[in-house]
Amino acid sequence: ETARLTNKPRDRALKPKGPEVGYPVPSELVGGLIGTQGTTIQELMREANCKLKVVDDKDENGEEQGEGSKIVIMSGDSEVVERAKEVIQAKIDALRAAKGKGKSKGKGKGKGE
């Protein structure tokens, strides 16, 4: 009987419980948002208590909206989604601040973005 209990999924709190909501992320910051082997986004999911998934930003015809733009998909009740938005925006702000302090490796494409 104990063995059956240990086979149950542990991430019940992260299961979608509401409509999916998209939150745009600048393409140049997606790597920092995900982190090495997904560690950063996993930490953000725990902090927001919400499942997060990064996908390409596509229109209804499946065409990409802009060069490499991404969307973070989150789902849950309105409080969970709002918390997730705050957590994601705080991380985006931190990544932008770090990028602005000369931590960029100069691999931009020179498009003035």
Side-chain angles (χ1 to χ4, degrees), residues 33-50:
L33 188 71
I34 295 172
T36 304
Q37 297 182 343
T39 54
T40 303
I41 200 160
Q42 289 172 9
E43 183 180 309
L44 296 174
M45 284 191 281
R46 282 190 296 274
E47 190 175 335
N49 196 28
C50 181

Side-chain angles (χ1 to χ4, degrees), residues 39-102:
T39 54
T40 303
I41 200 160
Q42 289 172 9
E43 183 180 309
L44 296 174
M45 284 191 281
R46 282 190 296 274
E47 190 175 335
N49 196 28
C50 181
K51 186 168 175 102
L52 305 173
K53 178 173 63 172
V54 179
V55 298
D56 291 330
D57 184 11
K58 296 183 179 180
D59 65 15
E60 60 275 357
N61 298 321
E63 300 287 326
E64 278 197 24
Q65 300 293 300
E67 190 175 314
S69 55
K70 303 289 183 185
I71 297 286
V72 175
I73 302 292
M74 59 195 86
S75 59
D77 62 40
S78 59
E79 288 179 25
V80 169
V81 168
E82 284 307 311
R83 176 67 182 140
K85 286 179 182 178
E86 290 171 8
V87 167
I88 292 166
Q89 189 58 54
K91 185 62 180 176
I92 288 171
D93 292 344
L95 291 168
R96 280 189 175 138
K99 192 173 186 177
K101 290 181 180 177

